[in-house]
Each structure stands twice: as C-alpha cells, then as structure tokens.
Amino acid sequence: VPALEHNNEVKGESLDLIKYIDSHFEGPSLFPDDPAKKQFADELLSYIDSFYKTVTSSFNGEGTEAGIAFDNIETALTKFEDGPFFLGQFSLVDIAYAPFIERFNPFLLDVKKYDITLGRPKLATWIEEMNKNEGYTQTRCDPKEIVESYKKRFMVI
C-alpha cells in the first residue's frame, strides 16, 4: 500500500495521496481548473469503488456486469473532446483508473476471453495513450503476473 509522510501528516489512501501531492508539490496540476471538469472528476472518482466491485463480481460469472462497467468508462471518455483522457487532458482521474484497467484487461482477456476494448474505441485509445506515458509505463506490472495473481485471488485456485 503506498503511503506518504510529509509535514507530519501520513497519507495512505490512494485518492487522498494523489490529491495531497497535487496540492502540496510544484508542477502542473493534476486537477482541472474548469468547473465542469472538476465536477466530472469528482463524479468519476466517486465511481471507482462501484467500478471495481462491478468488474470483480463478474469474475466468477458471465461478465455482463463488467461490460456495463466498461460501457460507463467508454461513455465517460466521450465527455470532453480536447484529448483522449477522462477530462480531455491527462489528470488525476486517469491516474486513479489506470491500475484497475491495467489489471482487469489481461485477466478478462485470458480467463473470460473478453476484450474490454472491443466496441469501445475511446477506451482503446485511452489505453494506447496511457502506454505512451513513461511515468505510467515504469510502474506497470507484468500482465502474466497479474493474471496469475487474480486467478489466485478471485478464483480460489
């Protein structure tokens, strides 16, 4: 679990950590100035737990719930046309969703033969663009390790 201690404060929850780093360190903001984008960012960040639970609950079933969750992601990616990311430009929302999508994609493809990008061109483009981000690619896990880990975790092998 990531954690940060700074100015006698400890942050350990991922979203709190992202927001803290954004507000306490120099560099371009990961949170948009645009009020509409700020509101949508809050909506997307509050959806993460539902997204996670919906997708993982489908691991032992048919996967239709996962499809609905990824359809919601596709719809979210169509809201702003000024770039391929959730808020148009790269933001903390992309950082928050990337680890989940990175892990769900190879697992669903391997175990369920379910391609999350099929019929979802915005999601496919988002994944391609995320894979061009050096900061992100340095943190990516080996897809084979993800699949094996998720099999043990969710399929009780």
Side-chain angles (χ1 to χ4, degrees):
V1 176
L4 172 72
E5 182 178 351
H6 183 254
N7 291 338
N8 295 319
E9 287 187 60
V10 176
K11 301 289 179 189
E13 203 283 309
S14 298
L15 292 177
D16 292 340
L17 222 162
I18 293 169
K19 291 175 184 178
Y20 185 86
I21 289 170
D22 189 55
S23 64
H24 287 84
F25 293 92
E26 291 183 23
S29 179
L30 296 172
F31 224 156
D33 290 330
D34 180 318
K37 288 184 177 186
K38 211 174 256 193
Q39 179 182 356
F40 194 55
D42 288 338
E43 290 172 26
L44 288 170
L45 293 173
S46 68
Y47 176 65
I48 286 178
D49 285 339
S50 287
F51 173 70
Y52 177 83
K53 289 174 185 170
T54 300
V55 175
T56 57
S57 71
S58 74
F59 288 173
N60 290 320
E62 292 300 311
T64 56
E65 296 87 11
I68 293 167
F70 287 108
D71 287 345
N72 290 340
I73 295 298
E74 179 73 10
T75 300
L77 287 164
T78 65
K79 183 149 176 108
F80 298 103
E81 294 295 324
D82 58 330
F85 300 104
F86 283 101
L87 304 179
Q89 301 302 309
F90 183 74
S91 72
L92 75 158
V93 176
D94 302 293
I95 293 168
Y97 276 90
F100 297 112
I101 293 172
E102 170 195 349
R103 292 176 182 118
F104 294 157
N105 191 19
F107 178 78
L108 288 168
L109 196 55
D110 182 84
V111 173
K112 299 287 186 174
K113 309 303 180 223
Y114 181 70
D115 182 352
I116 67 171
T117 63
L118 193 62
R120 298 182 185 99
K122 295 286 188 176
L123 178 57
T125 300
W126 181 85
I127 291 171
E128 288 173 19
E129 291 301 315
M130 287 300 296
N131 287 330
K132 292 177 185 176
N133 183 315
E134 187 179 337
Y136 167 65
T137 57
Q138 290 177 5
T139 67
R140 290 187 62 210
C141 300
D142 178 351
K144 289 178 184 176
E145 289 179 18
I146 292 169
V147 170
E148 291 310 308
S149 172
Y150 268 38
K151 281 180 181 178
K152 289 176 187 169
R153 183 174 176 191
F154 293 104
M155 302 183 83
V156 192
I157 293 177

